């Protein structure tokens, strides 16, 4: 169902739908309540014996009620025991599924890496063909998804409704998305195998992170650089909004609503909220939007295709430079407490800032970001939201930040894909709907994770917001 959330990570092996987590918590609470009631009955029973009831002139029938109290006490304890066992079984099922999934994912990554290396080792002449297949397909699909974000889909593509419908069906298939998620990890393994490295060694290098998505992206960047494309540039602040008062966001939906979506009327890519309180250091909350222009090398827009590739390579992309400059403008220092919210490319920027360790990032909330291979520190409270039918997070490879709370949903499970909208599961509007579902969810695990990101509201504190627009500085 499209409104069903799945929760994993958070330092746990469990992978569960929220219905499972809510049921387990409800059973646990039922056990506690049953024991509380049994305790109250026991207290009454201990104070009123049959002899006392008779001596007080209470009818014998009433005195016999003590037997019923003892029976109720026994039955309530039995109910509590059964509820606890059922709660444990539900959580055991979630843990078992999570362990099995993690084990299967680990084997898949290991075997696919070795298989890719073996293919490159045995068939080096076929490297170019397979490389185009494994690299080209994700790049084309990434182009399609990014074009959706900007609303600048190629006219020719949009005009062919039949082709668009078929493409949408393909890239919105969770199985295909999962295939791309693992496929993008094996380009370097093929190259390493073709270079003559033993497949077992290549598999070891892959699982330890020495080679993988970041090195593949760096290779693409170097090749593009030879053609004069994707060279990174400095950025310049070209405009910013008037500073205005705002109330701190208290829900996930409010956060998703505050993520910028640049337009001609409102071209800002980054918004920063500053909370001031007498006698204390200012705290900050960042909101970073997604790709604005998917051009490679001929755009003034920092949030472009070049930044997408260079961010994947872990380099100082223009989008990252823009956010760092906005942070400087807002007065954020290495000691300032910062929570970062990001969508799509903005989520990758948020993860990289947290991973750098250069700032006191206390929390990260990511929507539809390709953050899987960016190592967010375990000390940062993190919630990662991904759609199972969204191709963009998959291009970032498998999600390795298992200490984070990971919320997934099949956005169009049981729903028809809309016409004329490319990669609909990546729409920010769909992630805002997921945010709304998260706010109404009753699982204790998710509520606890979100509570860590929710700022306390103090009556003597004031919060203001300023938004920023940046452009590339052409050499």
């Amino acid at each position: 169902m499209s409104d069903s959330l799945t929760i994993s990570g958070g330092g746990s092996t469990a992978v569960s739908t929220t219905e499972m987590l809510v049921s387990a918590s409800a059973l646990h609470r039922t056990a506690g309540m049953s024991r509380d009631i049994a305790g109250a009955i026991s207290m009454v029973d201990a104070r009123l014996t049959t002899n006392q009831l008779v001596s007080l002139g209470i009818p014998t029938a009433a005195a016999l009620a003590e037997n019923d109290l003892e029976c109720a006490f026994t039955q309530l304890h039995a109910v509590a025991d059964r509820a606890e066992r059922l709660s444990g079984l539900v959580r055991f099922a979630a843990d078992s599924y999570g362990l099995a999934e993690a084990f299967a994912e680990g084997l898949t990554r290991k075997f696919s890496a070795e298989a890719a290396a073996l293919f490159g080792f045995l068939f080096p002449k076929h490297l170019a063909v397979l490389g185009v297949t494994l690299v080209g397909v994700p790049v084309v699909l990434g182009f399609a998804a990014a074009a959706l974000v900007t609303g600048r889909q190629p006219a020719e593509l949009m005009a062919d409704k039949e082709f668009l419908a078929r493409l949408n069906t393909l890239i919105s298939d969770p199985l295909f998305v999962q295939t791309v998620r693992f496929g993008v990890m094996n380009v370097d393994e093929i190259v390493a195998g073709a270079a003559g490295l033993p497949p077992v060694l290549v598999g070891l290098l892959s699982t330890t992170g020495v080679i993988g998505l970041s090195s593949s992206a760096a290779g693409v960047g170097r090749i593009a650089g030879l053609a004069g494309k994707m060279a990174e540039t400095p950025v310049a602040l070209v405009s910013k909004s008037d500073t205005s008062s705002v109330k701190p966001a208290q829900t996930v939906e409010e956060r998703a609503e505050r993520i910028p979506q640049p337009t001609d009327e409102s071209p800002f890519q980054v918004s920063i909220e500053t909370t001031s309180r007498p006698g204390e250091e200012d705290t900050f909350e960042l909101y970073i939007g997604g790709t604005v222009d998917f051009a490679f090398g001929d755009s003034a827009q920092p949030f472009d295709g070049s930044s997408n590739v260079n961010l994947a390579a872990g380099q100082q992309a223009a989008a990252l430079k823009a956010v760092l400059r906005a942070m400087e403008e807002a007065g954020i220092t290495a000691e300032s407490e910062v929570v970062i919210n990001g969508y799509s490319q903005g989520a990758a920027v948020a993860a990289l800032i947290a991973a750098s360790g250069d700032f006191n990032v206390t929390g990260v909330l990511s929507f539809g970001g390709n953050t899987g291979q960016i190592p967010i520190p375990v000390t940062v409270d993190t919630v990662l939201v991904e759609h199972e039918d969204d191709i963009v997070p998959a291009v970032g490879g498998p999600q390795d930040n298992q200490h984070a709370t990971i919320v997934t949903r099949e956005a169009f499970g049981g729903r028809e894909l809309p016409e004329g909208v490319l990669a609909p599961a990546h729409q920010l509007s769909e992630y805002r709907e997921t945010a709304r579902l998260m706010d109404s969810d009753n699982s204790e695990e998710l509520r606890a994770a979100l509570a860590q990101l929710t700022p306390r509201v103090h009556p003597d504190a004031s919060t203001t917001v300023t938004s920023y627009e940046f452009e590339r500085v052409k050499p």
Side-chain angles (χ1 to χ4, degrees), residues 271-433:
S271 293
I272 299 181
E273 295 181 3
T274 305
T275 298
S276 303
R277 191 180 180 201
E280 295 189 5
E281 295 292 327
D282 290 349
T283 59
F284 300 87
E285 187 137 5
L286 274 64
Y287 295 90
I288 311 171
T291 305
V292 180
D293 189 340
F294 210 70
F296 290 92
D298 58 353
S299 171
Q301 174 59 243
F303 287 76
D304 63 356
S306 298
S307 282
N308 270 324
V309 175
N310 291 320
L311 285 171
Q315 298 175 0
Q316 280 276 329
L320 176 58
K321 294 175 185 177
V323 176
L324 294 177
R325 176 71 187 279
M327 294 172 71
E328 181 183 355
E329 287 284 329
I332 298 175
T333 67
E335 291 74 33
S336 304
E337 290 189 8
V338 180
V339 174
I340 312 180
N341 308 270
Y343 162 67
S344 193
Q345 185 177 145
V349 172
L352 284 168
I353 293 174
S356 71
D358 295 335
F359 295 92
N360 182 20
V361 179
T362 60
V364 168
L365 176 60
S366 160
F367 297 97
N370 49 346
T371 59
Q373 299 300 299
I374 302 174
I376 301 173
V378 296
T379 54
V380 177
D381 295 317
T382 304
V383 176
L384 307 174
V385 187
E386 300 179 357
H387 289 158
E388 296 169 13
D389 42 357
D390 181 2
I391 196 73
V392 174
V395 176
Q399 183 54 257
D400 284 348
N401 293 296
Q402 292 300 312
H403 62 281
T405 298
I406 304 167
V407 181
T408 60
R409 163 182 170 246
E410 186 179 350
F412 286 90
R415 296 166 57 196
E416 292 291 330
L417 296 175
E419 293 184 5
V421 179
L422 205 54
H426 189 63
Q427 285 269 30
L428 183 54
S429 59
E430 288 297 328
Y431 278 103
R432 286 171 174 167
E433 172 61 16

Side-chain angles (χ1 to χ4, degrees), residues 51-285:
N51 291 334
Q52 286 176 321
L53 291 171
V54 172
S55 66
L56 291 172
I58 295 175
T60 304
L64 294 177
E66 185 179 11
N67 294 331
D68 294 330
L69 290 175
E70 291 179 355
C71 180
F73 176 82
T74 302
Q75 291 298 320
L76 283 166
H77 269 288
V79 168
D81 290 340
R82 285 196 293 271
E84 280 191 343
R85 284 198 297 271
L86 285 171
S87 177
L89 286 171
V90 172
R91 291 189 178 276
F92 176 75
D95 284 331
S96 298
Y97 177 78
L99 286 170
E101 185 179 72
F103 181 72
E105 182 175 311
L107 287 180
T108 299
R109 293 176 68 171
K110 181 177 184 296
F111 291 149
S112 62
E114 293 183 1
L118 181 61
F119 184 94
F121 185 81
L122 294 176
F123 307 104
K125 293 182 180 179
H126 296 74
L127 176 62
V129 175
L130 195 63
V132 168
T133 302
L134 288 180
V135 180
V137 169
V139 168
V140 170
L141 296 178
F143 171 79
L148 159 75
V149 176
T150 64
R152 301 178 185 176
Q153 298 93 336
E156 297 82 3
L157 178 62
M158 294 300 294
D160 192 339
K161 294 184 179 180
E162 184 178 353
F163 173 78
L164 180 61
R166 290 180 178 178
L167 177 63
N168 250 347
T169 300
L170 175 65
I171 66 176
S172 300
D173 185 335
L175 180 59
F176 181 79
V177 169
Q178 191 72 351
T179 301
V180 171
R181 189 181 288 273
F182 285 102
V184 297
M185 298 294 292
N186 294 136
V187 177
D188 270 11
E189 285 79 349
I190 296 174
V191 175
L197 291 181
V200 174
L201 175 60
V202 175
L204 179 62
L205 293 174
S206 178
T207 54
T208 55
V210 176
I211 60 176
L213 179 62
S214 61
S215 53
S216 297
V220 171
R222 285 192 292 270
I223 294 172
L226 296 176
K229 297 292 184 180
M230 291 198 292
E232 277 306 344
T233 66
V235 296
L237 175 64
V238 295
S239 70
K240 65 179 182 179
S241 69
D242 294 333
T243 299
S244 57
S245 297
V246 67
K247 292 183 179 180
Q250 294 294 297
T251 67
V252 186
E253 186 177 12
E254 286 178 343
R255 282 190 163 87
E257 290 286 347
R258 296 185 186 192
I259 291 175
Q261 281 193 294
T263 63
D264 292 339
E265 294 75 23
S266 180
F268 309 112
Q269 306 110 333
V270 185
S271 293
I272 299 181
E273 295 181 3
T274 305
T275 298
S276 303
R277 191 180 180 201
E280 295 189 5
E281 295 292 327
D282 290 349
T283 59
F284 300 87
E285 187 137 5

